Amino acid sequence: MKLAAVILAAVASTAAAKGLSGTKRVSKLLESARRLNQEEEEQDMSWAVDFSVKYQGCHHIKQWNAEANEQEDVRIATKRLVRFRMCPSDQCSASAAGGCQSGFGDYIVDMDTFLNMYWEAKEQDKEIGCQNYINEYCEPECENANDDESCQYNCLFNAGLEECIEGDANGEDGDQQEAIEVDQFFECQQLEPAQDEDGNQQEEYDENGDVINYFAGPYCSEQGGAIKIGVFTDDQCTEFSGKSFYQITGYELAYTEESIVEEGCRSCKEAEEYDANAAYENNNGEEEEEAAEPRQLCDELYRSAGKCETYLGETLGGDINENACNYMKGIKMVRTDGLLDVSDARPSAVATAFIVIFAMAFAAMAFYVWYLRTRLGVKKNSLL
């Protein structure tokens, strides 16, 4: 599990920095991680159908780059992580930073895993949503139309569902091409330079005459709330280039300025395609509802993530996992407006005590200085 290695490295480095013996702690975490992998393969995930994924924010850590072989390779790479919460669907709020306040589990996973699963679910929801609207509204409306394609185009356009239209007015499939391009850069990828009129690549060279390569990949914005596509100078997407995607490639890419991940709650239940006959049978109580399975988004994210399930005991029957709770305590949630939400941050009792003692000592010292100066002033005046 990729995330386990990251957390273990962070814990080990923290222990070393504090002068502690981290061997025992690391061994215990390794044992928990091995047990976790074995148990999760057999775990019943049917409970997740009634939950939704709520993105809470992202952050990055620095770690040693084990793939650095050449002299110019980056030695300290950036590892990007995403924190998300699984909330009961009937309680999940898009506008609330936490999503929900009870019966939830908190999780952390590497960014590329989260993005790939999230994007696949987003595209699936979009496709099924569009098809459902077409089946329920556009097809009946266009049943007797002379031009079915034109009628369906107008039906979707008038409903404000431009994203459901395959191709624009000129018949070009721009939206599909855009989705493919964005999906390619959910992991760090080298960019192809723009070409001139003769078809030659417009490469850049450094002071030694070597070609400068550029890479694109996702990154966590400074305030931790957005995930965007950036341009970098190394194959680990660690060092920002200071240039835009357009400057390197000659064309625009979505999500270089806006976040890939939206603020809403994404259901773990598979979206259902509209069926007029099924809808009729269901309304008349003729169809029995089958047991649903959670969609791949939730199943894969859950199995890949570090877990803090302190408040999920009732749902899981007490069989909770809290291996990542300590690690996630320092990660703040992000509000939808980009401001950090520190409502869950708990002050340290030790730190608070030291602050109070220091403040009282400072006040006492100031009073003593004032007292001495007053007494010395009185004695000086009496001598005169």
Side-chain angles (χ1 to χ4, degrees):
M1 196 161 61
K2 290 188 286 185
L3 180 64
V6 177
I7 296 178
L8 291 177
V11 171
S13 60
T14 302
K18 293 182 177 180
L20 301 175
S21 175
T23 305
K24 189 173 181 180
R25 295 175 63 188
V26 172
S27 298
K28 187 175 181 180
L29 281 173
L30 281 172
E31 182 181 351
S32 299
R34 285 193 293 268
R35 185 176 66 252
L36 177 64
N37 285 333
Q38 294 173 356
E39 291 176 353
E40 283 179 347
E41 294 299 327
E42 304 174 357
Q43 186 172 3
D44 178 20
M45 289 291 296
S46 59
W47 60 270
V49 174
D50 298 324
F51 280 70
S52 295
V53 170
K54 169 66 175 177
Y55 168 76
Q56 291 188 309
C58 56
H59 80 294
H60 62 266
I61 59 175
K62 299 292 185 180
Q63 67 177 27
W64 179 256
N65 181 18
E67 300 179 359
N69 299 318
E70 304 297 332
Q71 184 176 358
E72 63 272 12
D73 288 343
V74 174
R75 302 295 174 180
I76 306 297
T78 300
K79 181 66 177 180
R80 297 177 172 90
L81 305 173
V82 167
R83 174 172 172 172
F84 67 95
R85 176 170 288 181
M86 291 184 68
C87 293
S89 295
D90 58 355
Q91 299 180 30
C92 196
S93 170
S95 59
C100 56
Q101 297 182 350
S102 63
F104 60 83
D106 285 331
Y107 306 90
I108 187 166
V109 70
D110 55 283
M111 184 179 289
D112 56 346
T113 298
F114 183 86
L115 285 180
N116 280 293
M117 291 295 100
Y118 176 87
W119 188 261
E120 182 179 338
K122 180 179 179 180
E123 290 297 295
Q124 183 185 45
D125 288 348
K126 171 186 170 183
E127 181 180 349
I128 293 179
C130 292
Q131 190 59 51
N132 285 346
Y133 190 88
I134 292 172
N135 292 343
E136 189 172 0
Y137 298 102
C138 296
E139 285 189 354
E141 180 180 325
C142 300
E143 185 175 0
N144 299 319
N146 294 327
D147 187 345
D148 289 344
E149 291 186 5
S150 177
C151 179
Q152 188 175 109
Y153 180 97
N154 292 330
C155 175
L156 294 172
F157 184 83
N158 293 335
L161 299 175
E162 289 88 345
E163 70 274 10
C164 297
I165 300 174
E166 296 183 358
D168 55 21
N170 298 320
E172 297 180 358
D173 197 1
D175 289 342
Q176 183 179 0
Q177 180 64 27
E178 176 186 275
I180 294 174
E181 291 174 350
V182 173
D183 190 23
Q184 291 177 355
F185 299 106
F186 285 171
E187 297 182 12
C188 195
Q189 300 290 339
Q190 185 171 344
L191 295 176
E192 292 291 334
Q195 297 181 351
D196 58 22
E197 296 179 354
D198 298 326
N200 301 316
Q201 290 186 339
Q202 299 176 324
E203 296 177 330
E204 296 183 31
Y205 300 88
D206 59 19
E207 55 185 13
N208 297 322
D210 297 326
V211 176
I212 301 176
N213 293 318
Y214 292 97
F215 303 81
Y219 72 96
C220 186
S221 64
E222 291 183 1
Q223 48 83 15
I227 300 177
K228 303 176 183 178
I229 302 295
V231 178
F232 305 83
T233 57
D234 63 284
D235 59 3
Q236 298 295 313
C237 287
T238 297
E239 301 293 335
F240 285 95
S241 68
K243 294 195 173 184
S244 68
F245 195 91
Y246 180 82
Q247 288 176 306
I248 305 300
T249 64
Y251 63 96
E252 300 287 352
L253 182 74
Y255 304 107
T256 56
E257 299 295 334
E258 60 179 315
S259 179
I260 299 170
V261 182
E262 300 170 349
E263 63 187 31
C265 302
R266 197 157 294 275
S267 175
C268 292
K269 186 177 181 179
E270 289 282 5
E272 298 179 356
E273 295 186 12
Y274 176 79
D275 186 331
N277 294 327
Y280 173 81
E281 293 175 358
N282 188 47
N283 290 334
N284 289 275
E286 299 178 13
E287 184 177 350
E288 295 183 2
E289 188 173 344
E290 298 180 1
E293 291 292 330
R295 68 195 307 182
Q296 187 178 8
L297 165 72
C298 302
D299 187 79
E300 292 295 331
L301 285 182
Y302 182 85
R303 297 182 190 278
S304 303
K307 301 171 178 61
C308 182
E309 300 176 329
T310 305
Y311 303 103
L312 203 58
E314 184 175 345
T315 300
L316 299 181
D319 185 19
I320 61 175
N321 186 320
E322 297 180 310
N323 288 347
C325 290
N326 289 335
Y327 185 82
M328 283 192 279
K329 280 183 179 179
I331 304 173
K332 298 176 181 178
M333 294 183 295
V334 178
R335 292 192 184 276
T336 55
D337 59 4
L339 298 177
L340 288 175
D341 177 16
V342 295
S343 58
D344 277 7
R346 294 176 175 84
S348 168
V350 176
T352 302
F354 273 108
I355 292 173
V356 172
I357 293 173
F358 179 79
M360 293 176 64
F362 181 82
M365 183 69 71
F367 176 78
Y368 186 64
V369 170
W370 172 83
Y371 175 77
L372 289 178
R373 291 190 59 176
T374 302
R375 294 293 298 172
L376 289 175
V378 171
K379 289 183 178 182
K380 184 176 180 181
N381 291 334
S382 64
L383 291 175
L384 295 176

